Amino acid sequence: MVAADSERPNASGVSELLESRLSSAFRAPGIDRLSPRMFRRERSIPLRGSAAALCNNLSVLQLPARNLTHFGVVHGPSAQLLSAAPEGVPLAQRQLHAKEGAGVSPPLITQIHWCVLPFRVLLVLTSHRGIQMYESDGSVMVYWHALDAGDASLVQAAFARGIAASGHYVCVGTWSGQVLVFDIPTKGPNIVLSEELARHQTPISDIATEPAQGQDCVADTVTADDSGLLCVWRSGPKFKLLTQIPGFGVPCSSVQLWQGTIAAGYGNGQVRLYEASTGTVHVQIDAHARAICALDLAPEVGKLLSAAEDTFVHIWKLSRSPEDGYIEVEHCHGECVPDTQLCGARFCDPSGSSFAVTGYDVAEILRFSSI
Amino acid sequence: MSMRTLPLLFLNLGGEMLYILDQRLRAQNIPGDKARKVMNDIISTMFNQKFMDELFKPQELYSKKALRTVYDRLAHASIMRLNQASMDKLYDLMTMAFKYQVLLCPRPKDVLLVTLNHLDAIKGLIQDSPTILHQVDKTFRQLTDIYGGLSAGEFQLIRQTLLIFFQDLHIRVSIFLKDKVQNSSGRFVLPVSGPVPWGTEVPGLIRTFNNKGKEVKRTEFKHGGSYVAAPKEGSLELYGDRVLKLGTNMYSVNRPVETHMSAASKNLASQTQESIVPNPLAKEELNLLARLIGGMEIQKPSGPEPGFRLNLFTTDEEEEQAALTRPEELSYKVINIQATQDQQTNQELVRIMGEFEITDQSRQSSSKGDDWLAMMDEL
């Protein structure tokens, strides 16, 4: 519910329309970056429940063939899935719940994320009870993994968090710092826990992957934790640890991997870019005034999206220096979402020309697309 | 989420409760000795060692409704009585104030400084009782011992747990509306200026390093906010400078306690969810609650001290009107236990209820109105 915010598009609708006409009339190649507003607020998608204050609390699955986009947002004890047409009209909705268990209150969901595997798409939901894997539309639960909290649960809450797919594996992080690797069959529910990676000492916060280019020993998976430590892996029947990037006492809330570059967003508002193969830091951006809640990458163009609790979204262009091959970055766009403590942000297309954000306590998905 | 959230939630909400009661006792011209007794009684109950030990054990958070019963009991730990409408309003004010403080906390860890601000101010509300001051100092040490050593990650989890607890609560509070920190829809205004959190740089700089880690380039970008550097880190010492102002007493004679009961929260689907679905876990929660409240030692009234009723509204008529017009979705009447029928299901709670009744009898002569048994049925 954002009564105050929802008035804004109506009030400024005319000027936005004018702005878009003007810009399209005068548009010329290369001018986009110079225009003061590269993105325009589109119609919001209403949610049944507001978004919970969790990092990476928005998952987007693009289905260009059907001209549809799936969105997933965690409300608290439930999560909402919906698919929307390009105009933002919600077409189908579904509510998912964490499996019940012992405890005072219904278990809270920590994250939902679509895992795009080479041959199938799974929707993975993590909670304080365990890991639930569904067919991509959330209709059928194909796998359930209960967390074994043991004695630790008396002093520490057990949960799973951090979800990513690498090859035919789905990696899920846990509160203890372990990363569970599941081997996913081409079809059916015969999912097997194939490996447990134990290199982190604090809760896993996020996991990033990118399709390997076929070479051996190329980093394709990065795991991040609450102390800021990053572990860089090569996936396979046995995951190989390539390098570790030490933290500095600040949680790394979100991580992305693109063409050998790791982008990590931290609780102190910084974004750091590392060389995945060596772990060397190449760029340090004082990007936000509050904790970063989400990063996303548009793989076709190397654009990085960062969103934070300071109500700002920034878009960055990553590249390699033609002279020495070092990672470089350029600021492309900044957008304030007034009075919204952002908690999720995703690009909605591979070229980075549209993105969506969610905010704590806000019962809608806010969408932006380039003019 | 975090199992370490309840003490912070309880102490901060309790602090807000004491600020409001202190202001209302003055506004209603309650004689000094009575007001002093009420504040001292409530503070000593709140910081009772047995209760604190129970509170600091790692545990899950209670539901909003269950927690509300803890404050009902606390507010009635002395000779003062509040009726349903005033108690509702008191709880609304407390929760919105702490929600604001958690939301605006610069770093998740600063929720600890907010708590210390509350404890500092509570010590100022204690009159002529070194024993109670000592109780609060003891809690202070318990708090800094446990929380002083937690990592930034653990505080992030605590803050997320608190925010989820306060999610979908959009009651408009006049003091916030006047200060323009809350807008008419009940949402808080998030500033994009002022000091950045301790440990965060003012945004706007990109630094590039070569393979050897040497800085080779600096470029600036326009962030969009206008921030300044953090002055210094707040102190966790007993008499330290907290730097942060969130959590200090915002009420004064010139800034009275008022609420607008908001009908602004139109998105009821999510809010009512909790109350429509019968909670199978309610009973287990009550067991835990009984253990917690059981640690709260309510002082038996000594002698025929006359009680009085405190009104959170300006007039009795306003109070009655508020009781009638309170929106259904804001009702706390959810966990429904028949105190008289269900005695065997929870003997501990019944024992506690028994204590309530003793208190009740003692004030029958002095006060009209509110019915304790009815209130207990709403537990």
Side-chain angles (χ1 to χ4, degrees):
Chain A
M1 196 243 10
V2 271
D5 286 354
S6 62
E7 282 163 16
R8 231 162 263 150
N10 295 337
S12 60
V14 176
S15 64
E16 275 190 2
L17 197 67
L18 256 173
E19 195 180 71
S20 87
R21 279 190 186 153
L22 280 172
S23 68
S24 60
F26 294 101
R27 186 176 293 174
I31 264 187
D32 269 12
R33 196 181 301 150
L34 303 173
S35 75
R37 273 185 76 85
M38 277 166 47
F39 283 82
R40 173 179 59 187
R41 175 99 171 256
E42 300 284 346
R43 204 166 117 175
S44 302
I45 305 172
L47 290 168
R48 270 206 223 149
S50 60
L54 300 165
C55 295
N56 306 305
N57 190 3
L58 175 65
S59 186
V60 172
L61 177 68
Q62 300 152 20
L63 298 170
R66 291 167 58 196
N67 209 8
L68 268 184
T69 311
H70 287 333
F71 297 92
V73 180
V74 177
H75 168 61
S78 65
Q80 194 183 345
L81 305 182
L82 53 88
S83 48
E87 313 79 58
V89 184
L91 298 173
Q93 309 214 10
R94 193 186 293 277
Q95 201 107 341
L96 296 179
H97 295 268
K99 267 177 87 113
E100 294 279 346
V104 167
S105 45
L108 290 170
I109 297 171
T110 49
Q111 198 183 357
I112 51 170
H113 183 72
W114 275 284
C115 290
V116 181
L117 300 137
F119 33 79
R120 74 196 282 192
V121 178
L122 288 180
L123 175 73
V124 180
L125 178 154
T126 53
S127 76
H128 283 252
R129 295 281 171 271
I131 301 156
Q132 291 160 237
M133 297 191 193
Y134 294 85
E135 294 296 353
S136 69
D137 61 355
S139 58
V140 182
M141 186 161 87
V142 292
Y143 185 72
W144 157 248
H145 177 91
L147 290 176
D148 178 17
D151 295 339
S153 71
L154 296 174
V155 284
Q156 237 187 335
F159 57 86
R161 184 178 63 189
I163 308 163
S166 182
H168 55 95
Y169 300 100
V170 166
C171 305
V172 182
T174 67
W175 89 102
S176 66
Q178 272 201 334
V179 176
L180 308 178
V181 181
F182 297 95
D183 196 344
I184 312 291
T186 340
K187 57 181 181 181
N190 291 327
I191 294 168
V192 182
L193 175 64
S194 64
E195 202 180 346
E196 296 173 32
L197 312 175
R199 288 304 187 117
H200 292 272
Q201 307 295 320
T202 61
I204 300 296
S205 50
D206 195 23
I207 304 179
T209 56
E210 77 168 332
Q213 317 290 321
Q215 304 138 278
D216 269 350
C217 287
V218 170
D220 61 6
T221 304
V222 183
T223 50
D225 73 21
D226 267 357
S227 73
L229 172 74
L230 303 176
C231 290
V232 186
W233 310 84
R234 165 75 192 183
S235 71
K238 197 147 176 49
F239 274 56
K240 189 179 172 209
L241 181 72
L242 301 180
T243 182
Q244 280 185 312
I245 302 167
F248 45 100
V250 177
C252 172
S253 42
S254 201
V255 67
Q256 289 291 328
L257 185 57
W258 180 71
Q259 295 189 358
T261 301
I262 297 169
Y266 295 92
N268 64 352
Q270 267 188 358
V271 172
R272 294 186 179 187
L273 304 177
Y274 301 93
E275 189 73 65
S277 53
T278 59
T280 315
V281 62
H282 277 292
V283 179
Q284 193 171 307
I285 313 172
D286 297 329
H288 291 274
R290 292 279 189 281
I292 290 177
C293 61
L295 294 182
D296 195 25
L297 251 160
E300 279 182 7
V301 289
K303 277 188 179 168
L304 177 73
L305 180 71
S306 68
E309 294 185 354
D310 63 358
T311 75
F312 281 88
V313 176
H314 288 294
I315 294 176
W316 317 87
K317 176 95 174 70
L318 312 188
S319 57
R320 293 266 173 183
S321 154
E323 293 114 51
D324 45 28
Y326 293 158
I327 304 158
E328 292 187 326
V329 70
E330 186 188 1
H331 182 249
C332 304
H333 180 67
E335 183 88 40
C336 176
V337 189
D339 302 333
T340 306
Q341 186 180 296
L342 298 173
C343 56
R346 289 279 171 189
F347 281 121
C348 296
D349 64 288
S351 65
S353 62
S354 58
F355 66 90
V357 300
T358 54
Y360 164 64
D361 230 2
V362 177
E364 54 186 2
I365 298 171
L366 309 168
R367 298 185 315 134
F368 297 82
S369 66
S370 62
I371 299 163
Chain B
M1 301 295 284
S2 172
M3 308 279 269
R4 292 265 182 219
T5 314
L6 186 64
L8 300 180
L9 181 64
F10 176 79
L11 291 171
N12 287 292
L13 286 179
E16 286 302 318
M17 182 173 95
L18 292 167
Y19 294 166
I20 297 162
L21 292 180
D22 174 63
Q23 203 268 330
R24 286 311 296 166
L25 287 167
R26 289 165 205 270
Q28 232 172 279
N29 292 320
I30 303 297
D33 57 332
K34 278 194 177 178
R36 188 179 65 195
K37 176 167 173 51
V38 167
M39 294 304 284
N40 282 1
D41 282 354
I42 294 179
I43 296 169
S44 89
T45 308
M46 183 174 160
F47 291 93
N48 175 288
Q49 195 52 50
K50 215 172 107 198
F51 177 61
M52 280 298 129
D53 290 343
E54 206 56 58
L55 188 77
F56 275 95
K57 286 180 184 162
Q59 56 193 300
E60 285 184 50
L61 276 193
Y62 299 103
S63 67
K64 290 187 190 69
K65 283 84 186 174
L67 197 68
R68 157 73 198 264
T69 63
V70 179
Y71 290 100
D72 271 344
R73 182 158 170 83
L74 190 57
H76 291 97
S78 186
I79 51 171
M80 177 191 74
R81 292 295 168 261
L82 293 162
N83 74 11
Q84 184 71 38
S86 280
M87 191 64 219
D88 282 344
K89 181 167 167 177
L90 176 63
Y91 195 60
D92 288 344
L93 286 167
M94 291 155 51
T95 46
M96 286 310 282
F98 187 44
K99 178 178 183 175
Y100 174 72
Q101 292 154 10
V102 176
L103 192 68
L104 269 87
C105 249
R107 297 173 305 173
K109 192 187 176 181
D110 293 330
V111 77
L112 184 54
L113 291 173
V114 172
T115 315
L116 299 190
N117 272 336
H118 276 120
L119 293 194
D120 291 346
I122 288 170
K123 289 204 286 184
L125 297 173
I126 300 167
Q127 290 182 55
D128 314 321
S129 175
T131 322
I132 306 176
L133 271 177
H134 179 73
Q135 274 182 284
V136 179
D137 281 345
K138 209 164 167 209
T139 300
F140 186 101
R141 276 190 294 273
Q142 226 167 339
L143 198 67
T144 46
D145 280 355
I146 295 175
Y147 291 88
L150 294 192
S151 68
E154 282 166 289
F155 273 110
Q156 187 191 35
L157 212 56
I158 288 174
R159 180 166 175 268
Q160 288 174 343
T161 311
L162 288 169
L163 288 175
I164 289 171
F165 182 83
F166 290 123
Q167 200 174 325
D168 295 325
L169 201 68
H170 300 137
I171 298 157
R172 291 178 299 164
V173 176
S174 66
I175 199 168
F176 287 139
L177 293 166
K178 276 181 199 153
D179 286 353
K180 297 201 166 32
V181 299
Q182 191 181 29
N183 62 35
S184 57
S185 66
R187 297 189 60 80
F188 290 116
V189 173
L190 300 181
V192 291
S193 58
V196 293
W198 180 255
T200 292
E201 299 294 328
V202 173
L205 184 65
I206 304 172
R207 293 194 286 166
T208 313
F209 304 88
N210 69 10
N211 264 352
K212 296 186 180 71
K214 187 170 169 269
E215 187 178 318
V216 289
K217 195 168 80 175
R218 276 183 182 226
T219 42
E220 289 182 0
F221 74 93
K222 199 174 173 307
H223 172 272
S226 52
Y227 299 95
V228 294
K232 60 174 177 175
E233 191 173 22
S235 160
L236 302 183
E237 296 297 314
L238 188 55
Y239 299 103
D241 177 5
R242 315 285 173 232
V243 182
L244 195 68
K245 289 285 167 267
L246 291 169
T248 56
N249 195 344
M250 62 176 174
Y251 304 100
S252 66
V253 183
N254 304 328
R255 291 158 62 86
V257 174
E258 285 174 51
T259 40
H260 292 282
M261 290 317 297
S262 173
S265 1
K266 285 283 180 271
N267 179 30
L268 298 182
S270 58
Q271 289 169 351
T272 44
Q273 210 171 33
E274 196 179 0
S275 51
I276 297 167
V277 182
N279 184 0
L281 308 165
K283 208 170 127 187
E284 186 177 348
E285 180 169 45
L286 276 169
N287 283 318
L288 287 168
L289 191 63
R291 204 182 62 197
L292 183 67
I293 299 186
M296 216 187 245
E297 280 164 13
I298 300 290
Q299 290 172 354
K300 302 280 186 295
S302 53
E305 179 128 31
F308 64 93
R309 195 172 66 88
L310 190 75
N311 191 345
L312 265 278
F313 299 81
T314 324
T315 62
D316 284 359
E317 290 70 35
E318 247 183 74
E319 187 179 45
E320 279 163 29
Q321 191 59 29
L324 294 172
T325 55
R326 188 174 176 82
E328 188 60 33
E329 73 269 18
L330 292 175
S331 167
Y332 293 105
K333 299 174 188 175
V334 151
I335 306 172
N336 210 338
I337 298 199
Q338 297 301 318
T340 40
Q341 294 164 15
D342 250 353
Q343 291 206 348
Q344 282 171 349
T345 54
N346 199 324
Q347 290 193 342
E348 176 66 4
L349 203 63
V350 169
R351 186 185 65 74
I352 293 158
M353 288 172 180
E355 286 178 24
F356 271 119
E357 282 175 60
I358 296 166
T359 329
D360 184 52
Q361 282 160 8
S362 75
R363 59 178 189 92
Q364 267 177 358
S365 55
S366 59
S367 160
K368 55 166 183 167
D370 35 18
D371 184 349
W372 262 114
L373 276 178
M375 202 193 101
M376 292 317 299
D377 272 347
E378 284 146 24
L379 271 181

